[in-house]
Amino acid sequence: MSVQRPLQALTKRATPSQSLTLQYRTRQPHRSLASVVPPVTQSHVGRQGPTAMVFMNMGGPSSTDQVGDFLSRLFADGDLIPLGPLQNYLGPLISRRRTPKIKKQYAEIGGGSPIRKWSEYQAEEMCKILDQTNPETAPHKPYVAFRYASPLTEEMYTRLLEDGFGKGRGGRAVAFTQYPQYSCSTTGSSLNDLWKVRNRLESPSRNQNLSAAEAEGSIRWSVIDRWPTHPGLIEAFAENITAKLETYPEEMRDSVVLLYSAHSLPMSVVNRGDPYPAEVAATVWAVQQKLGFRNPYRLCWQSQVGPSAWLGAQTSDTVNNFVKQGQKDLVLIPIAFTSDHIETLFEIDKEVIHEADQLGAEGRVRRAESLNGSPTFIKALADLAGSHLKNNEVCSRQMGLRCPGCKNEKCLQQKKFFMGQGAQDNAAVTL
């Protein structure tokens, strides 16, 4: 899968110092991206800056008024919730029926999701660290791109163009997934959307208004597509779990059962070969190892939607069964989320834990804090991004390996683009 091929079409008008070349190195864990044509807003601080750091996530409605639009986009996305050939009919129908209920849930957690607040904070704080640790690519500019809520991918991309990236000025942007474990339903869907928007705004085959110079000086993208066992991520989870365990009497802490909870997937996606379950399990194992395997644990899954088969066991069922059997000391850990949102603040806190108390848990079922503003977590983000930039990485080696059962042409073309911006041979991507 390793190839070295200069992008002649993109460098023929550039000076030697500005030439744009992709390097694919053998025996390295990541693919490499050489220096890029800087935008006109380049700072004197960094030879290769500024660099756009784009946090990608599902997002959430910031107010109850945005819930309907959020659900409409979510159920229209066949990558996340595959409804088959009736997606365009069933998606809007389901979203309309669920909107009143979901509005009430968001009202109970303060009137909206805090995920934008935390995403913007994490991105900004990470960029402050990067400006110190990676001056050659400074200044690092934080952006957030949500899949189903504002700021949507197209809003983010428009901001990039307005801020001096692209339009003949080149510049580098890093698509940094905030789903640590890769799934075609999450990271894959976000990258599909980014690829689609990029083509509409910067591809000469899609945008006839682009000049030749603008087409050659488009934004150069690289991707941080997964990081399930990054040491800083594992340390941040372990810190929050340890803090919650310390709320139990010392003599019983080691007997508390740790329940790692991650967003579930439809079994149709799992059976297609999606890597998400394995990568979530890898995170859990690494955290347990960091904790010294002092506590018994299980991995369970939440947020199933609709009647089709989903990955289980469900978090709510798992908690209820343990409590009924007399195991009331449980700590729930949102292992696939990097900040609080509806799945933690309502589903776990107000449904799962509340129901456990009704069954007699007596307040002994608790949740570890989400990563949110954890300094350890933000340092981990900066470490991960800093290595990506210093090593001129394009993406992970796993990025090019499609699910064994994948028949999504959009997924194939997106992977080809991000692995080589369209200049790489088909052999580099599993067909």
Side-chain angles (χ1 to χ4, degrees), residues 73-373:
R73 297 186 188 103
L74 188 148
F75 283 99
D77 183 9
D79 291 328
L80 179 69
I81 303 176
L83 299 174
L86 296 178
Q87 185 99 32
N88 292 336
Y89 170 75
L90 292 177
L93 179 64
I94 296 172
S95 65
R96 284 195 300 270
R97 288 184 174 179
R98 289 180 62 85
T99 293
K101 175 183 176 181
I102 303 301
K103 274 189 173 183
K104 291 180 181 178
Q105 294 179 1
Y106 277 105
E108 289 193 41
I109 63 169
S113 172
I115 191 170
R116 179 171 183 172
K117 175 191 75 173
W118 285 122
S119 296
E120 291 177 342
Y121 175 81
Q122 292 164 349
E124 289 168 4
E125 293 302 304
M126 180 197 72
C127 285
K128 290 176 184 178
I129 298 174
L130 289 176
D131 285 347
Q132 301 299 316
T133 60
N134 294 65
E136 66 280 0
T137 49
H140 302 87
K141 295 178 174 288
Y143 297 85
V144 171
F146 286 154
R147 185 67 180 87
Y148 310 113
S150 184
L152 295 166
T153 305
E154 186 159 4
E155 296 175 54
M156 176 279 300
Y157 216 114
T158 300
R159 274 195 57 204
L160 283 179
L161 299 176
E162 291 172 349
D163 288 351
F165 294 88
K167 289 189 175 179
R169 296 163 297 199
R172 181 174 185 180
V174 179
F176 191 169
T177 179
Q178 293 304 294
Y179 314 102
Q181 306 91 3
Y182 185 97
S183 173
C184 299
S185 298
T186 53
T187 301
S189 178
S190 289
L191 289 175
N192 284 346
D193 196 43
L194 178 58
W195 169 74
K196 180 181 68 176
V197 171
R198 184 268 173 193
N199 284 348
R200 186 164 64 249
L201 296 179
E202 289 205 283
S203 172
S205 63
R206 295 285 305 277
N207 189 342
Q208 303 300 323
N209 296 322
L210 286 178
S211 67
E214 287 176 330
E216 290 184 6
S218 60
I219 298 169
R220 295 299 303 169
W221 286 95
S222 62
V223 182
I224 301 175
D225 51 273
R226 70 199 73 208
W227 38 292
T229 58
H230 185 275
L233 173 72
I234 302 309
E235 183 178 355
F237 276 128
E239 285 180 356
N240 287 356
I241 295 168
T242 299
K244 187 56 63 175
L245 285 172
E246 289 175 351
T247 66
Y248 293 84
E250 185 175 0
E251 66 275 10
M252 60 182 298
R253 286 175 194 165
D254 290 353
S255 63
V256 176
V257 174
L258 304 182
L259 293 181
Y260 295 89
S261 184
H263 200 295
S264 187
L265 279 182
M267 286 307 296
S268 59
V269 176
V270 175
N271 292 336
R272 192 173 63 212
D274 194 281
Y276 175 74
E279 294 193 7
V280 172
T283 305
V284 171
W285 182 263
V287 173
Q288 282 295 114
Q289 189 174 48
K290 181 73 175 179
L291 294 171
F293 291 98
R294 290 192 303 273
N295 294 80
Y297 73 99
R298 282 290 184 269
L299 171 58
C300 44
W301 309 88
Q302 65 180 94
S303 308
Q304 176 175 331
V305 179
S308 61
W310 282 59
L311 184 63
Q314 286 292 301
T315 300
S316 57
D317 295 338
T318 302
V319 170
N320 290 346
N321 288 338
F322 271 124
V323 172
K324 289 175 182 177
Q325 294 166 13
Q327 177 62 48
K328 300 178 180 181
D329 300 302
L330 307 169
V331 170
L332 289 155
I333 303 121
I335 197 64
F337 305 124
T338 57
S339 66
D340 274 323
H341 52 321
I342 192 75
E343 281 82 1
T344 57
L345 298 176
F346 185 86
E347 187 174 347
I348 291 180
D349 291 354
K350 294 185 177 295
E351 288 189 327
V352 174
I353 293 179
H354 175 70
E355 188 171 348
D357 286 337
Q358 288 183 319
L359 292 173
E362 304 168 338
R364 290 155 61 181
V365 176
R366 302 166 191 174
R367 176 174 67 86
E369 292 297 318
S370 298
L371 298 175
N372 292 339

